[in-house]
Amino acid sequence: MEIASLAAGGLSDRAISDRLALSVRTVESHLARIYRKLGVHSRRDLPAVLGRS
């Protein structure tokens, strides 16, 4: 949820990885699973799905 929120807020994968002390690849993997579970195709769609539109 935290990664999804940060991505929806406009942070890049690199910025998210720096903030959470994760590798960029880990962030990318989490986002891929989040997109699949939420039925979205990009971070542009996340705010609407997370109720931030």
Side-chain angles (χ1 to χ4, degrees), residues 9-53:
L11 271 69
S12 67
D13 292 351
R14 168 60 65 191
I16 294 169
S17 71
D18 289 345
R19 183 175 288 194
L20 300 179
L22 301 169
S23 74
V24 174
R25 181 68 183 123
T26 298
V27 172
E28 292 169 348
S29 295
H30 281 297
L31 284 172
R33 281 193 300 277
I34 289 165
Y35 296 162
R36 200 169 37 253
K37 286 181 180 182
L38 296 177
V40 298
H41 299 286
S42 71
R43 67 181 3 135
R44 212 177 27 208
D45 301 326
L46 284 175
V49 174
L50 297 176
R52 295 182 179 189
S53 54

